[in-house]
Amino acid sequence: MNSVNTWTTTQHFWLIILGFFVAFAPRYLPIKIFTKRKIPEWFNEWMRFVPVSLFTALVVKDVFISSSYQFEVMPHIAEIVAGILVLVIAYVTRSMAISVVAGLVSVFLLSMII
């Protein structure tokens, strides 16, 4: 078998440098652009929904979609019950910390029981 890694040290160096710029640019450019401009109110309203949408997409895929991309409910009953419990706790307490701890504990305990 031929060697797996045929890159030189210089190529690895440039890969790390380019990776830095690719990761840094999306963080730096919005700060540089929007410090001198007024952000429209409609944009701020729209951006309020982005974290909730991303979180929901990740949770729904993890809980309801199997590794073969089939919709499954029964193998994930503990996570579904824990999610409902966390929704109620988050609504009542309005505390992210309490919700996260309650979610972790409930998933642990329910997965042991169910």
Side-chain angles (χ1 to χ4, degrees):
M1 181 172 159
N2 292 338
S3 75
V4 175
N5 188 359
T6 59
W7 280 26
T8 65
T9 304
T10 306
Q11 289 173 317
H12 279 105
F13 173 76
W14 285 114
L15 177 67
I16 292 170
I17 296 299
L18 291 173
F20 165 77
F21 284 112
V22 167
F24 182 72
R27 292 165 176 81
Y28 177 73
L29 291 177
I31 292 172
K32 193 69 173 165
I33 292 169
F34 289 119
T35 53
K36 297 179 175 121
R37 297 171 121 185
K38 175 85 172 114
I39 299 173
E41 189 61 36
W42 64 266
F43 186 76
N44 284 335
E45 284 292 319
W46 179 75
M47 287 300 288
R48 287 185 337 137
F49 298 105
V50 171
V52 174
S53 302
L54 291 174
F55 182 72
T56 303
L58 291 171
V59 168
V60 167
K61 183 189 177 299
D62 189 47
V63 172
F64 294 110
I65 307 298
S66 70
S67 60
S68 62
Y69 297 104
Q70 300 296 319
F71 181 78
E72 294 179 352
V73 176
M74 293 312 288
H76 303 285
I77 293 295
E79 289 90 350
I80 294 169
V81 173
I84 293 168
L85 181 65
V86 168
L87 282 174
V88 171
I89 290 172
Y91 182 77
V92 171
T93 64
R94 305 273 191 219
S95 170
M96 179 68 82
I98 294 172
S99 301
V100 168
V101 171
L104 290 171
V105 170
S106 62
V107 166
F108 175 72
L109 293 175
L110 287 169
S111 63
M112 299 290 255
I113 295 169
I114 297 179

